[in-house]
Amino acid sequence: MKNFCGRANPTTGALDWVEESEEYDYHQEIARSSYADMLHDHDRNEKYYKGIRAAVARVRARGEKVIVLDIGTGTGLLSMMAVTAGADFCYAVEVFKPMADAARRIVAKNGFADKIKIIDKHSTDVTVGPGEDMEVKANVLVTELFDTELIGEGALPSYEHAHQSLVQEGCEAVPHRATVYAQLVESPLLWSWAQLQPLEVDGTRLSPPPAVGRCGGSHSVCDIQLGQVSPRSFTPLGPLCTMFSVDFSKPISSAPRSYSSRFVARANGQAQVVLSWWELDMDPGGTVVCSMAPSWTYPHPKMAPWRDHWMQSVYFLPAESKVTEGQEVTLTVCHDDYSLWYRLHSPCQQHPQGDLLLSRPCCVCQAHLVWTRPRFGELNDKLRTESYVSALRSVLKKDSVCLGVSDGSLLPVFAHVLGAKKVFALENSRMSKQVIEQVLESNSMKGGVELLEIRPEQLTSNDLGGEQISVLMGEPHFSTSLLPWHALFFWYCRTALAGLLRPDATILPCSATLHVVAVEFQDLWRIRAPCGTCEGFDVTPMDEMVQKSLDFRESREAEPHPLWEYPCRALTPSAAIMTFDFTQCVPQQPIVRRGSLPFIRSGRCHGVALWLEYHLTRDVSVSTGLTGPVDEQGCCEWSRHRKQGVYFFRSGWQSSGDGRAAVSYDVTFQPASGDIKMDFSMDQTQTIGGTL
């Protein structure tokens, strides 16, 4: 049996469906899973263990046999904790078959095969009765069904079914309770991820389309490492509100509901964003608490446990509204069976009721479907915009004929404002074309840019009205790009358009450089590090399974991560190791670069970060990675707008920082596929350097 998997193709700018073996799909899921992150989360594991011990003890004190149901068992860790705590038997449910197989090996390796039964089904398909999946109903319910939004993995329907069919009335539950907290804030930074803001280009104000400003946007949660958003970036307008709690030991309904919290505003400001997180009470008394609160809520931020499988949530209100200090306002959270959303009301406003209140926000302007939240932030970045405007201003002439090649880009609009004779833009989809049309129309520029829904290789002189292109421009940005170098599709477009360019045509950007730096991650290394032993249990079969999946295809590939969320230190200088000259066509032969980067700081090297820097002109560049110099301690500031590539090492390397050791690189750009193959290794020699 074969599977078809989507893969970005930099040569076409498309998401290709590639036929792979049936093993490929689950190897990908295992290799990029968060299982290792959860196993490394000592705070989570320790508190689950305490809660399980207490629950088992309470059932024992009632003189009952302890029968545990563990839904979403993963490695079987929580079931092994339960048996160790004195449970008589555990039914461990895991729907992902490769993970269920690994759990069987782990359970057997730790000597619990006679006390734990792995059931590889969805919990709603589990049957109870003599000879069935479960012989009897359980009296202890242990689950780990949560995501950053608490309910996004279907926790409510799973609990609802479990109480109806799989557990006894009055059962103990670990966790016992979850509580959701929220705080209303003003944050120009976060709001810039939700709405297009006015821009000024050469004295001309560009306003966002009214439909975009009125649109409630996408309902999906924005989950981030909120601890990396400085408290200086937002103003709390109210207290931290307790929005609602769910008692997992009692029957639960997954039906849509709403909860409200009324408070008095503590400051003047624009109500824009709701910051939210949750905590788990592992016992009825709430003495064992596992909190997702961001690090800046702790007396000392370093006290906060780090985890990537559960983060914090940012919700954008449907529209910003003015709030004054002392004003009474009501914050309402609504949920269906998988997601949450928020609304704000004041006493003078009519509160929506019933179905209107419970209706999820959805995008009606199309912009929130075309532009991701980081993309909104990128378009709203005034310094970045000024770089592009400055570069365009330096190359445009009164007779310039411009062609823009980027998805949902404002560059063609800028070129029109700056006085180009004629501006064309290629758009990859009808929807992105319509969004840019809205921008033009709302600024009385309809017809100022001719938008063409044509692929570059299909464009003809007739499409350009017989004109030749004097300025080919791109950010570049393409919606299918996952890794930084996927945007090299711009180079392939430039090559396809070569016959339509004037001999003296300007290409903007004129080139790009691939940059690398070896880093020590503060915490991100945990997601790829083997665990070995977790809370005293041997989970090496899990490590072996993950490594096998990494070796299946991924061992020499980078993966995308937004590094602004994951602090790291540079242990080597950052270096440009490869140049892509857009003034020339894509070469026929591979570009190969080999060299090494000396360790100049001590630390444990976990991997290499990679990104592109675009040289718009000789004097103007835009980075998709580091946004400034690395400081003396090696601390890095990363662009929030794009994900960087990260090449993880199987095990970290300890560096003394004396320059006698280095990271060697062997990097090849393959023109036929548009891909970059890479290999990094430790070099103990003193031959340092490399060539572009």
Side-chain angles (χ1 to χ4, degrees):
M1 180 180 174
K2 297 287 186 179
N3 288 329
F4 288 91
C5 302
R7 186 174 301 154
N9 184 341
T11 69
T12 64
L15 190 67
D16 289 351
W17 291 100
V18 180
E19 189 178 60
E20 297 282 2
S21 70
E22 64 177 321
E23 296 178 315
Y24 181 81
D25 201 32
Y26 78 70
H27 277 303
Q28 284 282 296
E29 186 166 347
I30 293 168
R32 297 292 175 251
S33 69
S34 59
Y35 292 120
D37 173 33
M38 290 187 284
L39 293 176
H40 283 291
D41 187 349
H42 176 67
D43 177 76
R44 162 195 176 272
N45 300 337
E46 180 184 46
K47 288 170 179 174
Y48 259 102
Y49 211 167
K50 287 180 179 179
I52 288 169
R53 287 193 190 101
V56 170
R58 290 194 297 274
V59 175
R60 279 263 178 249
R62 299 199 293 259
E64 301 175 20
K65 288 184 67 175
V66 181
I67 306 299
V68 176
L69 172 61
D70 175 8
I71 301 179
T73 193
T75 59
L77 176 66
L78 302 185
S79 289
M80 293 189 293
M81 289 178 176
V83 172
T84 304
D88 293 285
F89 198 82
C90 289
Y91 295 103
V93 180
E94 175 55 53
V95 69
F96 186 42
K97 190 176 186 306
M99 195 68 245
D101 292 340
R104 287 190 184 91
R105 294 195 297 274
I106 291 170
V107 165
K109 192 176 186 70
N110 287 274
F112 298 116
D114 61 333
K115 290 290 189 83
I116 299 173
K117 179 183 179 182
I118 306 297
I119 304 170
D120 51 356
K121 288 184 175 182
H122 194 285
S123 64
T124 56
D125 295 327
V126 171
T127 57
V128 181
E132 301 293 338
D133 297 322
M134 296 173 61
E135 293 288 328
V136 295
K137 289 186 176 182
N139 52 15
V140 176
L141 176 58
V142 177
T143 61
E144 208 284 53
L145 297 170
F146 315 114
D147 68 348
T148 292
E149 204 173 12
L150 183 68
I151 65 172
E153 292 185 0
L156 294 181
S158 295
Y159 271 110
E160 185 175 42
H161 175 266
H163 277 285
Q164 291 171 351
S165 306
L166 305 179
V167 298
Q168 300 173 21
E169 185 178 352
C171 73
E172 300 289 341
V174 182
H176 180 83
R177 181 190 306 110
T179 303
V180 173
Y181 299 95
Q183 186 167 40
L184 180 69
V185 304
E186 175 186 54
S187 175
L189 169 65
L190 298 177
W191 190 242
S192 73
W193 300 353
Q195 290 290 345
L196 187 63
Q197 298 170 356
L199 295 170
E200 190 161 308
V201 177
D202 255 24
T204 298
R205 179 183 170 89
L206 296 176
S207 300
V212 177
R214 293 192 301 266
C215 181
S218 170
H219 75 273
S220 60
V221 66
C222 176
D223 53 341
I224 61 171
Q225 292 285 355
L226 195 53
Q228 297 308 310
V229 176
S230 168
R232 295 188 298 274
S233 299
F234 59 86
T235 302
L237 301 179
L240 182 65
C241 301
T242 301
M243 298 307 300
F244 68 93
S245 293
V246 183
D247 185 338
F248 297 126
S249 69
K250 298 177 180 178
I252 286 172
S253 170
S254 61
R257 289 198 61 180
S258 65
Y259 307 85
S260 294
S261 178
R262 183 175 295 182
F263 59 89
V264 173
R266 295 181 174 181
N268 299 326
Q270 291 293 114
Q272 299 168 326
V273 174
V274 175
L275 309 181
S276 181
W277 56 88
W278 46 268
E279 65 182 25
L280 300 174
D281 291 333
M282 294 298 181
D283 64 322
T287 60
V288 181
V289 180
C290 187
S291 175
M292 305 310 120
S295 58
W296 35 256
T297 65
Y298 287 73
H300 302 288
K302 290 187 177 179
M303 294 170 56
W306 185 87
R307 47 179 68 97
D308 204 45
H309 54 105
W310 296 331
M311 296 186 280
Q312 295 79 37
S313 300
V314 175
Y315 297 92
F316 302 99
L317 293 175
E320 61 180 336
S321 57
K322 187 176 181 180
V323 170
T324 57
E325 185 177 0
Q327 176 185 349
E328 188 176 89
V329 294
T330 299
L331 184 64
T332 298
V333 61
C334 309
H335 75 74
D336 54 19
D337 46 357
Y338 284 95
S339 59
L340 307 176
W341 59 96
Y342 284 82
R343 299 186 188 277
L344 185 70
H345 318 285
S346 62
C348 61
Q349 293 175 314
Q350 184 176 356
H351 291 208
Q353 301 293 327
D355 292 342
L356 183 60
L357 178 64
L358 293 173
S359 62
R360 289 192 301 184
C362 63
C363 177
V364 295
C365 72
Q366 301 186 93
H368 299 90
L369 304 177
V370 170
W371 294 326
T372 63
R373 285 162 181 148
R375 179 63 171 159
F376 267 101
E378 189 169 58
L379 294 172
N380 287 323
D381 185 331
K382 289 181 171 59
L383 289 177
R384 180 180 180 276
T385 294
E386 181 50 41
S387 293
Y388 282 95
V389 170
S390 174
L392 280 171
R393 190 186 295 118
S394 71
V395 302
L396 288 179
K397 301 174 184 177
K398 290 184 179 179
D399 64 346
S400 291
V401 176
C402 303
L403 176 65
V405 181
S406 278
D407 292 349
S409 176
L410 298 179
L411 285 193
V413 182
F414 298 164
H416 172 71
V417 172
L418 293 170
K421 171 188 169 184
K422 188 69 177 175
V423 183
F424 300 89
L426 301 186
E427 285 293 348
N428 77 330
S429 73
R430 180 69 50 84
M431 194 176 295
S432 60
K433 178 184 174 185
Q434 290 173 345
V435 169
I436 301 302
E437 284 174 345
Q438 288 184 60
V439 173
L440 292 166
E441 190 168 345
S442 65
N443 289 280
S444 303
M445 298 178 187
K446 189 174 182 180
V449 177
E450 188 168 340
L451 300 166
L452 305 172
E453 198 178 336
I454 302 174
R455 291 197 55 80
E457 66 273 13
Q458 297 170 338
L459 191 69
T460 67
S461 179
N462 289 337
D463 297 315
L464 302 175
E467 299 276 9
Q468 282 191 302
I469 302 163
S470 57
V471 178
L472 178 65
M473 57 190 178
E475 301 183 39
H477 169 82
F478 302 103
S479 58
T480 55
S481 297
L482 300 176
L483 288 160
W485 42 92
H486 290 167
L488 290 176
F489 174 54
F490 177 78
W491 202 7
Y492 291 87
C493 293
R494 177 260 180 270
T495 302
L497 295 165
L500 299 175
L501 301 177
R502 291 183 187 174
D504 60 347
T506 297
I507 312 297
L508 188 157
C510 58
S511 65
T513 44
L514 176 66
H515 291 246
V516 299
V517 63
V519 297
E520 175 185 54
F521 286 112
Q522 181 174 302
D523 295 295
L524 188 62
W525 60 270
R526 302 173 195 272
I527 70 170
R528 295 292 168 260
C531 190
T533 300
C534 180
E535 307 304 318
F537 302 102
D538 185 345
V539 294
T540 52
M542 171 68 193
D543 296 336
E544 292 163 0
M545 182 179 72
V546 170
Q547 190 56 57
K548 180 181 178 182
S549 291
L550 285 168
D551 290 343
F552 184 78
R553 180 62 58 81
E554 305 291 330
S555 58
R556 294 194 177 189
E557 291 187 7
E559 54 189 82
H561 289 282
L563 291 185
W564 72 269
E565 295 186 55
Y566 304 104
C568 63
R569 293 175 56 242
L571 300 183
T572 68
S574 64
I577 64 169
M578 187 176 286
T579 295
F580 310 99
D581 184 358
F582 298 155
T583 66
Q584 304 297 317
C585 292
V586 176
Q588 297 293 314
Q589 299 302 315
I591 303 174
V592 180
R593 296 292 180 263
R594 299 184 180 93
S596 53
L597 305 171
F599 284 113
I600 58 173
R601 296 182 185 89
S602 60
R604 191 161 188 82
C605 183
H606 297 116
V608 175
L610 306 96
W611 67 98
L612 289 186
E613 185 167 312
Y614 294 106
H615 308 287
L616 308 184
T617 64
R618 289 184 178 181
D619 304 317
V620 183
S621 296
V622 173
S623 174
T624 65
L626 287 176
T627 57
V630 174
D631 70 15
E632 290 185 6
Q633 288 72 43
C635 295
C636 304
E637 293 289 335
W638 299 96
S639 169
R640 284 190 172 99
H641 308 321
R642 306 276 181 108
K643 291 182 179 180
Q644 293 73 42
V646 178
Y647 181 106
F648 285 102
F649 297 127
R650 291 189 181 182
S651 58
W653 297 331
Q654 191 63 39
S655 160
S656 61
D658 58 9
R660 289 185 295 177
V663 173
S664 292
Y665 58 84
D666 185 343
V667 178
T668 301
F669 169 69
Q670 299 177 319
S673 65
D675 203 3
I676 293 181
K677 297 298 183 185
M678 61 193 70
D679 189 26
F680 295 91
S681 59
M682 174 66 102
D683 184 359
Q684 297 288 351
T685 69
Q686 297 188 39
T687 304
I688 307 300
T691 58
L692 283 180

